[in-house]
Amino acid sequence: MPSLKSLKTRVSSIKSISKITRAMQMVASAKLRRAESRLAAARPYAKRMAQVMSLLAARAAGTPNALPLLNGRGKDQTHLLIVTSSDAGLCGGFNANIYRQARDRALALEAAGKTVQFYVIGIKNAPVIRNNFPGKTVHETKREETSPVTFENAQKIAQDLIQRFNAGEFDVAHLFFSHYHSVLSQVPTETQIIPAAPESDDTKNQAAANDASSGAIEFEPDEETILSTLLPRSIAVAIYQAMLENATSEQGSRMSAMENSTRNAGEMISKLSIQYNRLRQAAITTELVEIISGAEAL
Amino acid sequence: MAELHYELVTPSRLARSGDAFMVVVPGTEGDLGVMAGHMPTMTAIRDGEVAIYSSEHQIETKFHISGGFAEINEKGLIILAEEAKEEN
């Protein structure tokens, strides 16, 4: 049986924790709103870019000297898994969910005899990957490389990736991030960004439709030059988009995690208060009984 | 004459969209004055000024853009730029 004093200190410590979690929840919800609006603002560019890319890719697919960034180098031995994560903790299962998806993928690739490397964006998943896949990490970003999430930062990462690709460090790059659906649901997602060739039937059909309707498009200077300048940019856009989705998901995830812990704290406080009151009552009763029986004995 | 619908988009926002008489785009191969009914074109853009004309002689506003790309299709003109700054 805990003592009265220990119960009292527990209640007060839970109270101060719940103050912190409530504050964090409110901060996260304010940040979430901002991140959501930035995500919405970035969508038109990404959408347009994807449209243009799929159109160009469909037209360039047949050409023999296609670009390696678009069509690959004809091998897929070394896979680079780009794993994003947050820079701050206390956001529920956010980082773990992304990591789990990447890990499953990595194990599947290794089982198929491929070489796996990791490129970690955001600091929180870096130690986990370092421990579970020792020596496989080729790069970990630092805090100042990823926050705030700006297009310039995404571009730097993209340039680094393209350099590594051109140097032959890897053949295929997969990007793992958390897709933001709503506050309650963030889905860990995987996309292949290098080579960028559209693979799903959906994009293929769309590209074919575009191709049919755009027989008479004029290109200045020419398709290949445009494609080769646009490809690195589209990779930067993909990374920027992923970073934004991630930032939004992180805040959403933190908000619901903090909401849960605030509620839990409230429940615990009321449970402990009841226990405390019972205990106090019991102590008073015992004292009274002692006094009365002492008086009777006289 | 019909107005040209244009959109100027950057990664962080939709900088401007609307209808104009003509938009002059600084293509890598030379400036393009794009009006309604322009033939479908895709062009890389050099860093420079995009001028939006509200009528034949009147410039509505100018943007300084860098890292750009323009697509002209039957729906209008779309400029994708890494940065776009309105000039006063």
Side-chain angles (χ1 to χ4, degrees), chain A residues 33-143:
Chain A
R33 229 167 305 147
R34 219 171 328 144
E36 261 181 338
S37 68
R38 276 215 306 204
L39 185 62
R43 226 165 245 157
Y45 190 90
K47 216 174 103 193
R48 293 274 178 233
M49 188 59 109
Q51 280 171 356
V52 171
M53 283 308 297
S54 71
L55 195 150
L56 281 170
R59 293 179 69 98
T63 55
N65 52 344
L67 298 139
L69 271 181
L70 183 67
N71 292 322
R73 280 193 288 254
K75 52 178 188 170
D76 64 338
Q77 184 52 42
T78 312
H79 288 250
L80 183 72
L81 307 187
I82 306 161
V83 184
T84 58
S85 62
S86 65
D87 281 340
L90 288 179
C91 42
F94 172 73
N95 288 317
N97 285 340
I98 300 175
Y99 168 70
R100 210 169 301 138
Q101 172 123 5
R103 182 200 58 196
D104 291 349
R105 183 72 193 181
L107 293 177
L109 283 170
E110 277 182 343
K114 312 281 186 202
T115 316
V116 175
Q117 291 179 331
F118 286 94
Y119 190 101
V120 190
I121 298 175
I123 59 172
K124 278 289 162 185
N125 266 338
V128 188
I129 289 172
R130 226 182 290 139
N131 287 340
N132 291 311
F133 296 91
K136 299 273 175 65
T137 308
V138 295
H139 184 72
E140 291 168 4
T141 60
K142 293 184 189 65
R143 204 180 279 266

Side-chain angles (χ1 to χ4, degrees), chain A residues 41-42 48 155 218 220 226 233, chain B residues 11-12 40-44 69 82:
Chain A
R48 293 274 178 233
Q155 224 169 5
E218 191 164 299
E220 264 183 51
I226 291 180
R233 210 173 291 157
Chain B
S12 52
T41 307
M42 286 198 183
T43 177
F69 175 81
E82 268 163 32

Side-chain angles (χ1 to χ4, degrees), chain A residues 8-287:
Chain A
K8 210 172 182 179
T9 45
R10 263 190 89 186
V11 168
S12 77
S13 79
I14 291 167
K15 262 186 193 154
S16 30
I17 288 172
S18 83
K19 265 182 208 157
I20 294 171
T21 55
R22 194 172 305 129
M24 278 186 79
Q25 182 201 334
M26 285 194 275
V27 170
S29 78
K31 282 188 177 168
L32 174 70
R33 229 167 305 147
R34 219 171 328 144
E36 261 181 338
S37 68
R38 276 215 306 204
L39 185 62
R43 226 165 245 157
Y45 190 90
K47 216 174 103 193
R48 293 274 178 233
M49 188 59 109
Q51 280 171 356
V52 171
M53 283 308 297
S54 71
L55 195 150
L56 281 170
R59 293 179 69 98
T63 55
N65 52 344
L67 298 139
L69 271 181
L70 183 67
N71 292 322
R73 280 193 288 254
K75 52 178 188 170
D76 64 338
Q77 184 52 42
T78 312
H79 288 250
L80 183 72
L81 307 187
I82 306 161
V83 184
T84 58
S85 62
S86 65
D87 281 340
L90 288 179
C91 42
F94 172 73
N95 288 317
N97 285 340
I98 300 175
Y99 168 70
R100 210 169 301 138
Q101 172 123 5
R103 182 200 58 196
D104 291 349
R105 183 72 193 181
L107 293 177
L109 283 170
E110 277 182 343
K114 312 281 186 202
T115 316
V116 175
Q117 291 179 331
F118 286 94
Y119 190 101
V120 190
I121 298 175
I123 59 172
K124 278 289 162 185
N125 266 338
V128 188
I129 289 172
R130 226 182 290 139
N131 287 340
N132 291 311
F133 296 91
K136 299 273 175 65
T137 308
V138 295
H139 184 72
E140 291 168 4
T141 60
K142 293 184 189 65
R143 204 180 279 266
E144 59 271 17
E145 284 178 74
T146 51
S147 60
V149 178
T150 59
F151 189 62
E152 286 82 63
N153 283 338
Q155 224 169 5
K156 273 180 213 148
I157 293 171
Q159 271 161 11
D160 185 28
L161 284 172
I162 291 164
Q163 249 170 34
R164 286 168 192 274
F165 179 73
N166 288 338
E169 282 186 34
F170 62 90
D171 304 312
V172 183
H174 307 266
L175 179 63
F176 292 88
F177 64 97
S178 183
H179 179 69
Y180 178 77
H181 270 294
S182 70
V183 179
L184 292 174
S185 99
Q186 299 95 28
V187 188
T189 311
E190 175 192 348
T191 52
Q192 183 180 321
I193 57 168
I194 302 175
E199 292 209 348
S200 71
D201 289 340
D202 206 27
T203 49
K204 248 185 198 159
N205 290 340
Q206 199 197 341
N210 278 341
D211 204 27
S213 67
S214 64
I217 289 187
E218 191 164 299
F219 291 91
E220 264 183 51
D222 57 84
E223 284 173 49
E224 252 166 66
T225 319
I226 291 180
L227 199 53
S228 60
T229 55
L230 272 188
L231 266 171
R233 210 173 291 157
S234 82
I235 291 168
V237 169
I239 290 173
Y240 180 61
Q241 197 69 15
M243 282 165 79
L244 280 179
E245 292 265 3
N246 234 29
T248 316
S249 302
E250 178 196 340
Q251 297 304 342
S253 178
R254 174 168 302 130
M255 202 177 112
S256 50
M258 288 302 121
E259 198 182 330
N260 282 341
S261 53
T262 310
R263 196 178 321 119
N264 264 349
E267 274 168 25
M268 256 172 115
I269 287 170
S270 67
K271 220 186 276 167
L272 286 176
S273 309
I274 288 171
Q275 210 184 335
Y276 173 81
N277 289 340
R278 288 235 175 91
L279 207 60
R280 196 176 63 101
Q281 203 73 59
I284 291 169
T285 317
T286 332
E287 269 172 33

Side-chain angles (χ1 to χ4, degrees), chain B residues 8-85:
Chain B
L8 177 55
V9 199
T10 70
S12 52
R13 71 205 166 99
L14 178 65
R16 196 181 174 93
S17 72
D19 296 306
F21 173 74
M22 176 170 82
V23 178
V24 175
V25 180
T28 44
E29 313 280 278
D31 285 7
L32 277 88
V34 183
M35 296 167 81
H38 195 284
M39 90 174 283
T41 307
M42 286 198 183
T43 177
I45 297 179
R46 61 171 204 274
D47 297 356
E49 268 173 10
V50 170
I52 297 162
Y53 286 72
S54 58
S55 70
E56 202 175 335
H57 299 293
Q58 199 178 354
I59 295 179
E60 190 182 315
T61 182
K62 277 183 177 178
F63 280 90
H64 188 86
I65 63 166
S66 59
F69 175 81
E71 183 193 356
I72 303 158
N73 56 27
E74 60 278 4
K75 286 179 213 128
L77 164 72
I78 299 152
I79 303 172
L80 299 176
E82 268 163 32
E83 266 176 69
K85 221 160 122 194

